Amino acid sequence: MKTNRILVGLSVLALFLVLISCSGGSTAHSGGGVGGSGIISRGSISEFGSIVVNGTDFQTTNAVVVINGETAGTGDTAVQAHLDKGKVVTVQGTLGECDECAVAEKVIYRSDVEGPVAGVDGSDPDAVELVVMGQTVMVNYLTQLKNIDLQGIISGKVVEVSGFYDNKGIVWATFLEDKGTTYELDAIYEVKGIVDSLDTDLKTFMLNGLAVDYSIADTSGLPGGKPVDGLWIKAEGSVDPAFTHMSADVIVQEDEIDAENAEEVEITGFVTFYIAFDEFIVGNQVVVVEEGAVFVDGDQADVAPGKKIEAEGELVDGILRAWEIEFWEPDQFEIEGSVTDFVS
């Protein structure tokens, strides 16, 4: 169930080189973001009313809600209908009148895995480990469950997973839903990950434990129209009865931030690759630590692959220039709200 660390490291390094080449290597501020300025926040939804992500309360009255690449609606009604606590979203908006508030212009959600369960390991009393289409998924008390009982998960049950990928390719689920169906041979399933072990002759590659055949896939959504090792992608297609091979219909590049410049960006995730003392990758986002940056619950020397952090800073030509780094435990969460009572 474990991913080869060396292969993952090489793949993420290749991804970094692709990102740098796309950004042109520039670090000069070009004065833009969401409509030229604004805030972008990527993290799991902790509260509704409006929507709270990474501690920022976003007003969603006029926000466009995009689900897996399709516009699902606008405003609070669409947010309530299509999103749930625990789902990892990217919110694009404008800064509000207070430090912890903003106005959302767009809320983007893409599931990490949606497909049949291949295996369940409940030997850890504090977590359940699933294999879903070759992806190892960790479920613990942080995970928000919908229509699901962990004791009832069996092979072939179709689930939707949202969460954060660590440096080993494991998804730490913040949301897990039973889709109410079981495996079907001709059904279309979805998975995200980093392209590895690309074979351009056979037209195959690996996404952790899932072999993907892209010989008939529409790859026009990829840079240059073809996959490359280290590229973060989303694949859709049918899977075999063993849930280990996918025949892809569509493959597109994944861009978690989906912007080049913004005044303020905050992201939560695992450090997937360490480049230098002041440069690393969180998920697939390159982070450069600014001089004088503040570190919370750790220091700069603690940054390493597998560490879960929240990075806040400015997005410049696709690179997050961080002025604050906060360290988190893999299963740590925050609850925000008003105190309503005391229990002695």
Side-chain angles (χ1 to χ4, degrees):
M1 293 184 182
K2 305 300 183 186
T3 304
N4 185 296
R5 299 186 189 186
I6 296 176
L7 290 177
V8 170
L10 291 174
S11 293
V12 177
L13 178 58
L15 170 64
F16 167 70
L17 295 175
V18 169
L19 289 169
I20 291 298
S21 66
C22 290
S23 69
S26 171
T27 57
H29 180 53
S30 58
V34 184
S37 65
I39 180 172
I40 300 174
S41 185
R42 177 169 174 79
S44 60
I45 299 171
S46 59
E47 294 293 338
F48 279 104
S50 46
I51 186 175
V52 180
V53 178
N54 292 329
T56 299
D57 191 334
F58 288 89
Q59 178 186 339
T60 56
T61 305
N62 297 308
V64 176
V65 178
V66 180
I67 306 296
N68 291 322
E70 301 291 335
T71 300
T74 302
D76 298 335
T77 301
V79 167
Q80 295 285 343
H82 298 283
L83 298 173
D84 300 272
K85 284 186 181 181
K87 285 185 174 179
V88 176
V89 296
T90 298
V91 187
Q92 301 176 346
T94 55
L95 298 168
E97 296 180 355
C98 66
D99 290 340
E100 302 298 332
C101 60
V103 177
E105 296 175 354
K106 183 182 291 185
V107 183
I108 303 167
Y109 170 73
R110 303 180 182 97
S111 58
D112 289 298
V113 188
E114 185 171 335
V117 174
V120 183
D121 182 354
S123 58
D124 186 336
D126 297 321
V128 175
E129 183 174 311
L130 310 178
V131 176
V132 185
M133 294 201 306
Q135 317 307 303
T136 300
V137 177
M138 296 300 298
V139 181
N140 54 29
Y141 64 86
L142 175 64
T143 310
Q144 296 286 330
L145 303 177
K146 184 175 182 179
N147 304 327
I148 201 165
D149 179 353
L150 291 182
Q151 285 67 40
I153 296 179
I154 59 175
S155 180
K157 183 180 289 290
V158 174
V159 298
E160 177 182 345
V161 180
S162 181
F164 300 107
Y165 286 82
D166 70 10
N167 61 308
K168 303 175 187 177
I170 297 172
V171 186
W172 289 75
T174 52
F175 174 82
L176 181 69
E177 179 182 3
D178 182 348
K179 301 301 290 185
T181 61
T182 55
Y183 167 75
E184 297 178 8
L185 184 62
D186 296 326
I188 301 299
Y189 301 111
E190 304 173 352
V191 62
K192 291 197 301 191
I194 296 173
V195 174
D196 190 20
S197 303
L198 176 68
D199 189 322
T200 56
D201 293 327
L202 295 177
K203 295 189 180 302
T204 61
F205 58 82
M206 298 296 296
L207 292 180
N208 291 321
L210 181 71
V212 179
D213 180 338
Y214 68 94
S215 58
I216 63 170
D218 176 1
T219 58
S220 60
L222 300 178
K226 58 185 179 181
V228 296
D229 275 331
L231 192 65
W232 194 281
I233 60 97
K234 182 170 186 175
E236 300 178 7
S238 58
V239 296
D240 71 319
F243 318 141
T244 56
H245 291 76
M246 169 182 278
S247 177
D249 294 326
V250 180
I251 302 175
V252 297
Q253 183 179 13
E254 277 291 291
D255 185 350
E256 295 179 345
I257 298 298
D258 198 27
E260 286 295 306
N261 300 281
E263 291 179 2
E264 184 173 332
V265 175
E266 47 193 18
I267 64 171
T268 300
F270 289 90
V271 176
T272 51
F273 197 76
Y274 184 85
I275 301 165
F277 186 65
D278 62 350
E279 195 166 3
F280 50 90
I281 299 176
V282 177
N284 71 342
Q285 176 61 51
V286 178
V287 178
V288 172
V289 180
E290 293 282 81
E291 185 176 353
V294 175
F295 288 82
V296 180
D297 295 329
D299 56 42
Q300 194 161 351
D302 295 325
V303 175
K307 288 287 188 178
K308 186 179 181 182
I309 68 170
E310 180 180 333
E312 184 175 355
E314 181 182 20
L315 191 68
V316 181
D317 294 335
I319 295 176
L320 197 167
R321 307 193 68 85
W323 58 61
E324 181 173 315
I325 303 289
E326 182 176 356
F327 291 86
W328 294 63
E329 294 300 320
D331 55 0
Q332 181 180 343
F333 67 98
E334 288 184 334
I335 298 176
E336 298 188 12
S338 302
V339 175
T340 57
D341 200 1
F342 288 92
V343 178
S344 57

mmCIF file of all heavy atoms in Angstrom, residues 200-240:
data_model
loop_
_atom_site.group_PDB
_atom_site.id
_atom_site.type_symbol
_atom_site.label_atom_id
_atom_site.label_comp_id
_atom_site.label_asym_id
_atom_site.label_seq_id
_atom_site.Cartn_x
_atom_site.Cartn_y
_atom_site.Cartn_z
ATOM 1 N N THR A 200 5.844 6.138 -23.197
ATOM 2 C CA THR A 200 5.230 6.776 -24.363
ATOM 3 C C THR A 200 4.964 5.794 -25.493
ATOM 4 O O THR A 200 4.159 6.088 -26.381
ATOM 5 C CB THR A 200 6.117 7.928 -24.870
ATOM 6 O OG1 THR A 200 7.436 7.415 -25.153
ATOM 7 C CG2 THR A 200 6.210 9.028 -23.840
ATOM 8 N N ASP A 201 5.634 4.636 -25.485
ATOM 9 C CA ASP A 201 5.370 3.614 -26.511
ATOM 10 C C ASP A 201 4.061 2.887 -26.208
ATOM 11 O O ASP A 201 3.202 2.725 -27.089
ATOM 12 C CB ASP A 201 6.531 2.619 -26.593
ATOM 13 C CG ASP A 201 7.811 3.262 -27.111
ATOM 14 O OD1 ASP A 201 7.708 4.173 -27.953
ATOM 15 O OD2 ASP A 201 8.896 2.864 -26.654
ATOM 16 N N LEU A 202 3.910 2.456 -24.968
ATOM 17 C CA LEU A 202 2.678 1.755 -24.570
ATOM 18 C C LEU A 202 1.559 2.727 -24.241
ATOM 19 O O LEU A 202 0.408 2.321 -24.113
ATOM 20 C CB LEU A 202 2.950 0.866 -23.357
ATOM 21 C CG LEU A 202 3.925 -0.298 -23.559
ATOM 22 C CD1 LEU A 202 4.138 -1.041 -22.245
ATOM 23 C CD2 LEU A 202 3.419 -1.239 -24.635
ATOM 24 N N LYS A 203 1.910 4.011 -24.095
ATOM 25 C CA LYS A 203 0.955 5.051 -23.704
ATOM 26 C C LYS A 203 0.296 4.712 -22.368
ATOM 27 O O LYS A 203 -0.914 4.657 -22.215
ATOM 28 C CB LYS A 203 -0.095 5.279 -24.797
ATOM 29 C CG LYS A 203 0.492 5.842 -26.094
ATOM 30 C CD LYS A 203 -0.584 6.249 -27.054
ATOM 31 C CE LYS A 203 0.006 6.803 -28.343
ATOM 32 N NZ LYS A 203 0.901 7.978 -28.121
ATOM 33 N N THR A 204 1.159 4.509 -21.377
ATOM 34 C CA THR A 204 0.711 4.210 -20.018
ATOM 35 C C THR A 204 1.545 5.006 -19.022
ATOM 36 O O THR A 204 2.656 5.445 -19.327
ATOM 37 C CB THR A 204 0.840 2.718 -19.676
ATOM 38 O OG1 THR A 204 2.229 2.333 -19.763
ATOM 39 C CG2 THR A 204 0.008 1.864 -20.612
ATOM 40 N N PHE A 205 1.001 5.194 -17.831
ATOM 41 C CA PHE A 205 1.757 5.740 -16.711
ATOM 42 C C PHE A 205 1.091 5.273 -15.427
ATOM 43 O O PHE A 205 0.010 4.657 -15.445
ATOM 44 C CB PHE A 205 1.837 7.279 -16.773
ATOM 45 C CG PHE A 205 0.514 7.995 -16.798
ATOM 46 C CD1 PHE A 205 -0.207 8.240 -15.637
ATOM 47 C CD2 PHE A 205 -0.015 8.442 -18.002
ATOM 48 C CE1 PHE A 205 -1.423 8.913 -15.660
ATOM 49 C CE2 PHE A 205 -1.226 9.125 -18.041
ATOM 50 C CZ PHE A 205 -1.924 9.353 -16.872
ATOM 51 N N MET A 206 1.739 5.564 -14.298
ATOM 52 C CA MET A 206 1.227 5.172 -12.993
ATOM 53 C C MET A 206 0.773 6.390 -12.206
ATOM 54 O O MET A 206 1.408 7.453 -12.256
ATOM 55 C CB MET A 206 2.297 4.427 -12.186
ATOM 56 C CG MET A 206 2.781 3.128 -12.799
ATOM 57 S SD MET A 206 1.486 1.868 -12.923
ATOM 58 C CE MET A 206 1.116 1.582 -11.177
ATOM 59 N N LEU A 207 -0.340 6.241 -11.492
ATOM 60 C CA LEU A 207 -0.768 7.179 -10.465
ATOM 61 C C LEU A 207 -0.780 6.396 -9.159
ATOM 62 O O LEU A 207 -1.743 5.691 -8.857
ATOM 63 C CB LEU A 207 -2.158 7.752 -10.765
ATOM 64 C CG LEU A 207 -2.300 8.676 -11.978
ATOM 65 C CD1 LEU A 207 -3.740 9.134 -12.122
ATOM 66 C CD2 LEU A 207 -1.372 9.873 -11.874
ATOM 67 N N ASN A 208 0.326 6.443 -8.422
ATOM 68 C CA ASN A 208 0.521 5.582 -7.267
ATOM 69 C C ASN A 208 0.321 4.130 -7.688
ATOM 70 O O ASN A 208 1.036 3.638 -8.542
ATOM 71 C CB ASN A 208 -0.384 6.011 -6.112
ATOM 72 C CG ASN A 208 0.053 7.343 -5.533
ATOM 73 O OD1 ASN A 208 1.237 7.624 -5.411
ATOM 74 N ND2 ASN A 208 -0.905 8.183 -5.175
ATOM 75 N N GLY A 209 -0.694 3.438 -7.173
ATOM 76 C CA GLY A 209 -0.884 2.034 -7.515
ATOM 77 C C GLY A 209 -1.824 1.784 -8.669
ATOM 78 O O GLY A 209 -2.214 0.633 -8.918
ATOM 79 N N LEU A 210 -2.223 2.825 -9.401
ATOM 80 C CA LEU A 210 -3.154 2.682 -10.522
ATOM 81 C C LEU A 210 -2.411 2.861 -11.836
ATOM 82 O O LEU A 210 -1.775 3.895 -12.069
ATOM 83 C CB LEU A 210 -4.272 3.718 -10.415
ATOM 84 C CG LEU A 210 -5.343 3.673 -11.509
ATOM 85 C CD1 LEU A 210 -6.232 2.444 -11.341
ATOM 86 C CD2 LEU A 210 -6.194 4.944 -11.490
ATOM 87 N N ALA A 211 -2.499 1.850 -12.697
ATOM 88 C CA ALA A 211 -1.927 1.944 -14.038
ATOM 89 C C ALA A 211 -2.951 2.592 -14.960
ATOM 90 O O ALA A 211 -4.107 2.163 -15.018
ATOM 91 C CB ALA A 211 -1.547 0.559 -14.551
ATOM 92 N N VAL A 212 -2.537 3.624 -15.686
ATOM 93 C CA VAL A 212 -3.440 4.375 -16.555
ATOM 94 C C VAL A 212 -3.015 4.202 -18.004
ATOM 95 O O VAL A 212 -1.862 4.464 -18.366
ATOM 96 C CB VAL A 212 -3.448 5.873 -16.195
ATOM 97 C CG1 VAL A 212 -4.378 6.646 -17.135
ATOM 98 C CG2 VAL A 212 -3.876 6.071 -14.737
ATOM 99 N N ASP A 213 -3.949 3.748 -18.835
ATOM 100 C CA ASP A 213 -3.750 3.638 -20.276
ATOM 101 C C ASP A 213 -4.385 4.865 -20.916
ATOM 102 O O ASP A 213 -5.594 5.074 -20.818
ATOM 103 C CB ASP A 213 -4.410 2.354 -20.784
ATOM 104 C CG ASP A 213 -4.254 2.140 -22.289
ATOM 105 O OD1 ASP A 213 -4.013 3.123 -23.018
ATOM 106 O OD2 ASP A 213 -4.395 0.993 -22.737
ATOM 107 N N TYR A 214 -3.565 5.702 -21.581
ATOM 108 C CA TYR A 214 -4.099 6.936 -22.153
ATOM 109 C C TYR A 214 -4.152 6.893 -23.677
ATOM 110 O O TYR A 214 -4.258 7.926 -24.338
ATOM 111 C CB TYR A 214 -3.292 8.147 -21.673
ATOM 112 C CG TYR A 214 -1.867 8.237 -22.171
ATOM 113 C CD1 TYR A 214 -1.547 8.968 -23.315
ATOM 114 C CD2 TYR A 214 -0.827 7.615 -21.481
ATOM 115 C CE1 TYR A 214 -0.237 9.081 -23.764
ATOM 116 C CE2 TYR A 214 0.478 7.719 -21.924
ATOM 117 C CZ TYR A 214 0.768 8.457 -23.066
ATOM 118 O OH TYR A 214 2.075 8.553 -23.502
ATOM 119 N N SER A 215 -4.113 5.690 -24.245
ATOM 120 C CA SER A 215 -4.029 5.546 -25.703
ATOM 121 C C SER A 215 -5.242 6.125 -26.430
ATOM 122 O O SER A 215 -5.125 6.558 -27.582
ATOM 123 C CB SER A 215 -3.842 4.072 -26.080
ATOM 124 O OG SER A 215 -4.897 3.279 -25.577
ATOM 125 N N ILE A 216 -6.414 6.143 -25.787
ATOM 126 C CA ILE A 216 -7.610 6.692 -26.437
ATOM 127 C C ILE A 216 -8.102 7.956 -25.745
ATOM 128 O O ILE A 216 -9.174 8.466 -26.050
ATOM 129 C CB ILE A 216 -8.748 5.646 -26.485
ATOM 130 C CG1 ILE A 216 -9.193 5.267 -25.062
ATOM 131 C CG2 ILE A 216 -8.331 4.411 -27.279
ATOM 132 C CD1 ILE A 216 -10.462 4.421 -25.031
ATOM 133 N N ALA A 217 -7.306 8.483 -24.815
ATOM 134 C CA ALA A 217 -7.760 9.612 -23.996
ATOM 135 C C ALA A 217 -7.616 10.934 -24.733
ATOM 136 O O ALA A 217 -6.711 11.124 -25.557
ATOM 137 C CB ALA A 217 -6.966 9.658 -22.696
ATOM 138 N N ASP A 218 -8.501 11.860 -24.404
ATOM 139 C CA ASP A 218 -8.383 13.243 -24.829
ATOM 140 C C ASP A 218 -7.370 13.912 -23.902
ATOM 141 O O ASP A 218 -7.646 14.134 -22.720
ATOM 142 C CB ASP A 218 -9.741 13.939 -24.747
ATOM 143 C CG ASP A 218 -9.677 15.425 -25.094
ATOM 144 O OD1 ASP A 218 -8.582 15.924 -25.423
ATOM 145 O OD2 ASP A 218 -10.732 16.085 -25.021
ATOM 146 N N THR A 219 -6.187 14.236 -24.413
ATOM 147 C CA THR A 219 -5.131 14.849 -23.600
ATOM 148 C C THR A 219 -4.882 16.304 -23.999
ATOM 149 O O THR A 219 -3.836 16.875 -23.681
ATOM 150 C CB THR A 219 -3.820 14.053 -23.731
ATOM 151 O OG1 THR A 219 -3.427 14.012 -25.112
ATOM 152 C CG2 THR A 219 -3.984 12.630 -23.214
ATOM 153 N N SER A 220 -5.852 16.904 -24.667
ATOM 154 C CA SER A 220 -5.681 18.287 -25.119
ATOM 155 C C SER A 220 -5.579 19.269 -23.956
ATOM 156 O O SER A 220 -5.112 20.396 -24.136
ATOM 157 C CB SER A 220 -6.832 18.689 -26.046
ATOM 158 O OG SER A 220 -8.084 18.598 -25.378
ATOM 159 N N GLY A 221 -6.017 18.846 -22.755
ATOM 160 C CA GLY A 221 -5.938 19.706 -21.582
ATOM 161 C C GLY A 221 -4.606 19.660 -20.874
ATOM 162 O O GLY A 221 -4.453 20.233 -19.789
ATOM 163 N N LEU A 222 -3.606 18.985 -21.470
ATOM 164 C CA LEU A 222 -2.274 18.910 -20.888
ATOM 165 C C LEU A 222 -1.318 19.830 -21.640
ATOM 166 O O LEU A 222 -1.500 20.085 -22.835
ATOM 167 C CB LEU A 222 -1.744 17.472 -20.951
ATOM 168 C CG LEU A 222 -2.546 16.405 -20.223
ATOM 169 C CD1 LEU A 222 -1.907 15.041 -20.438
ATOM 170 C CD2 LEU A 222 -2.637 16.720 -18.729
ATOM 171 N N PRO A 223 -0.272 20.332 -20.982
ATOM 172 C CA PRO A 223 0.730 21.146 -21.687
ATOM 173 C C PRO A 223 1.359 20.348 -22.826
ATOM 174 O O PRO A 223 1.864 19.240 -22.617
ATOM 175 C CB PRO A 223 1.771 21.451 -20.602
ATOM 176 C CG PRO A 223 1.035 21.302 -19.320
ATOM 177 C CD PRO A 223 0.017 20.222 -19.552
ATOM 178 N N GLY A 224 1.290 20.865 -24.031
ATOM 179 C CA GLY A 224 1.824 20.152 -25.173
ATOM 180 C C GLY A 224 0.957 19.004 -25.632
ATOM 181 O O GLY A 224 1.320 18.274 -26.563
ATOM 182 N N GLY A 225 -0.200 18.831 -24.969
ATOM 183 C CA GLY A 225 -1.133 17.785 -25.392
ATOM 184 C C GLY A 225 -0.731 16.383 -25.020
ATOM 185 O O GLY A 225 -1.282 15.412 -25.564
ATOM 186 N N LYS A 226 0.208 16.225 -24.071
ATOM 187 C CA LYS A 226 0.627 14.872 -23.693
ATOM 188 C C LYS A 226 1.120 14.861 -22.250
ATOM 189 O O LYS A 226 1.594 15.881 -21.729
ATOM 190 C CB LYS A 226 1.724 14.372 -24.628
ATOM 191 C CG LYS A 226 2.957 15.251 -24.671
ATOM 192 C CD LYS A 226 3.952 14.760 -25.703
ATOM 193 C CE LYS A 226 5.185 15.670 -25.760
ATOM 194 N NZ LYS A 226 6.147 15.194 -26.780
ATOM 195 N N PRO A 227 1.031 13.709 -21.576
ATOM 196 C CA PRO A 227 1.500 13.628 -20.189
ATOM 197 C C PRO A 227 3.022 13.600 -20.126
ATOM 198 O O PRO A 227 3.691 13.176 -21.066
ATOM 199 C CB PRO A 227 0.907 12.294 -19.695
ATOM 200 C CG PRO A 227 0.736 11.472 -20.928
ATOM 201 C CD PRO A 227 0.416 12.446 -22.033
ATOM 202 N N VAL A 228 3.565 14.070 -19.010
ATOM 203 C CA VAL A 228 4.993 13.978 -18.727
ATOM 204 C C VAL A 228 5.163 13.580 -17.270
ATOM 205 O O VAL A 228 4.317 13.896 -16.423
ATOM 206 C CB VAL A 228 5.741 15.304 -18.995
ATOM 207 C CG1 VAL A 228 5.689 15.670 -20.459
ATOM 208 C CG2 VAL A 228 5.160 16.435 -18.147
ATOM 209 N N ASP A 229 6.233 12.860 -16.980
ATOM 210 C CA ASP A 229 6.506 12.484 -15.596
ATOM 211 C C ASP A 229 6.581 13.725 -14.714
ATOM 212 O O ASP A 229 7.177 14.741 -15.082
ATOM 213 C CB ASP A 229 7.824 11.712 -15.497
ATOM 214 C CG ASP A 229 7.655 10.222 -15.760
ATOM 215 O OD1 ASP A 229 6.571 9.687 -15.480
ATOM 216 O OD2 ASP A 229 8.617 9.595 -16.253
ATOM 217 N N GLY A 230 5.965 13.647 -13.543
ATOM 218 C CA GLY A 230 6.001 14.744 -12.581
ATOM 219 C C GLY A 230 4.843 15.702 -12.689
ATOM 220 O O GLY A 230 4.694 16.569 -11.840
ATOM 221 N N LEU A 231 3.999 15.554 -13.730
ATOM 222 C CA LEU A 231 2.878 16.472 -13.918
ATOM 223 C C LEU A 231 1.705 16.062 -13.037
ATOM 224 O O LEU A 231 1.366 14.889 -12.948
ATOM 225 C CB LEU A 231 2.446 16.472 -15.379
ATOM 226 C CG LEU A 231 1.479 17.581 -15.816
ATOM 227 C CD1 LEU A 231 2.153 18.942 -15.706
ATOM 228 C CD2 LEU A 231 1.014 17.344 -17.248
ATOM 229 N N TRP A 232 1.090 17.042 -12.380
ATOM 230 C CA TRP A 232 -0.083 16.802 -11.536
ATOM 231 C C TRP A 232 -1.312 16.816 -12.433
ATOM 232 O O TRP A 232 -1.614 17.828 -13.064
ATOM 233 C CB TRP A 232 -0.169 17.894 -10.484
ATOM 234 C CG TRP A 232 -1.119 17.618 -9.355
ATOM 235 C CD1 TRP A 232 -2.470 17.748 -9.380
ATOM 236 C CD2 TRP A 232 -0.793 17.182 -8.037
ATOM 237 N NE1 TRP A 232 -3.004 17.433 -8.159
ATOM 238 C CE2 TRP A 232 -1.999 17.083 -7.321
ATOM 239 C CE3 TRP A 232 0.403 16.876 -7.395
ATOM 240 C CZ2 TRP A 232 -2.036 16.688 -5.981
ATOM 241 C CZ3 TRP A 232 0.368 16.485 -6.074
ATOM 242 C CH2 TRP A 232 -0.826 16.389 -5.372
ATOM 243 N N ILE A 233 -2.043 15.704 -12.490
ATOM 244 C CA ILE A 233 -3.148 15.587 -13.451
ATOM 245 C C ILE A 233 -4.395 14.992 -12.793
ATOM 246 O O ILE A 233 -4.363 14.468 -11.679
ATOM 247 C CB ILE A 233 -2.749 14.712 -14.668
ATOM 248 C CG1 ILE A 233 -2.353 13.267 -14.232
ATOM 249 C CG2 ILE A 233 -1.594 15.339 -15.425
ATOM 250 C CD1 ILE A 233 -3.418 12.261 -14.350
ATOM 251 N N LYS A 234 -5.501 15.086 -13.533
ATOM 252 C CA LYS A 234 -6.722 14.385 -13.173
ATOM 253 C C LYS A 234 -7.120 13.518 -14.356
ATOM 254 O O LYS A 234 -7.146 13.992 -15.496
ATOM 255 C CB LYS A 234 -7.854 15.347 -12.835
ATOM 256 C CG LYS A 234 -9.136 14.640 -12.395
ATOM 257 C CD LYS A 234 -10.142 15.617 -11.834
ATOM 258 C CE LYS A 234 -11.356 14.879 -11.264
ATOM 259 N NZ LYS A 234 -12.293 15.807 -10.615
ATOM 260 N N ALA A 235 -7.413 12.253 -14.078
ATOM 261 C CA ALA A 235 -7.802 11.308 -15.127
ATOM 262 C C ALA A 235 -9.202 10.786 -14.864
ATOM 263 O O ALA A 235 -9.569 10.507 -13.720
ATOM 264 C CB ALA A 235 -6.817 10.134 -15.188
ATOM 265 N N GLU A 236 -9.981 10.661 -15.938
ATOM 266 C CA GLU A 236 -11.318 10.083 -15.867
ATOM 267 C C GLU A 236 -11.395 8.919 -16.840
ATOM 268 O O GLU A 236 -10.903 9.013 -17.968
ATOM 269 C CB GLU A 236 -12.373 11.125 -16.238
ATOM 270 C CG GLU A 236 -12.397 12.349 -15.358
ATOM 271 C CD GLU A 236 -13.443 13.363 -15.815
ATOM 272 O OE1 GLU A 236 -14.216 13.025 -16.744
ATOM 273 O OE2 GLU A 236 -13.488 14.467 -15.256
ATOM 274 N N GLY A 237 -12.021 7.830 -16.399
ATOM 275 C CA GLY A 237 -12.174 6.686 -17.281
ATOM 276 C C GLY A 237 -12.743 5.488 -16.556
ATOM 277 O O GLY A 237 -13.163 5.579 -15.394
ATOM 278 N N SER A 238 -12.769 4.366 -17.226
ATOM 279 C CA SER A 238 -13.276 3.121 -16.639
ATOM 280 C C SER A 238 -12.123 2.332 -16.038
ATOM 281 O O SER A 238 -10.970 2.474 -16.453
ATOM 282 C CB SER A 238 -13.976 2.280 -17.711
ATOM 283 O OG SER A 238 -13.090 1.993 -18.788
ATOM 284 N N VAL A 239 -12.433 1.506 -15.043
ATOM 285 C CA VAL A 239 -11.401 0.701 -14.393
ATOM 286 C C VAL A 239 -11.774 -0.772 -14.463
ATOM 287 O O VAL A 239 -12.944 -1.130 -14.595
ATOM 288 C CB VAL A 239 -11.195 1.123 -12.921
ATOM 289 C CG1 VAL A 239 -10.669 2.553 -12.841
ATOM 290 C CG2 VAL A 239 -12.465 0.987 -12.121
ATOM 291 N N ASP A 240 -10.754 -1.619 -14.389
ATOM 292 C CA ASP A 240 -10.964 -3.057 -14.491
ATOM 293 C C ASP A 240 -11.519 -3.598 -13.176
ATOM 294 O O ASP A 240 -11.517 -2.904 -12.160
ATOM 295 C CB ASP A 240 -9.654 -3.753 -14.843
ATOM 296 C CG ASP A 240 -8.669 -3.742 -13.693
ATOM 297 O OD1 ASP A 240 -8.560 -2.695 -13.006
ATOM 298 O OD2 ASP A 240 -8.021 -4.771 -13.461
#
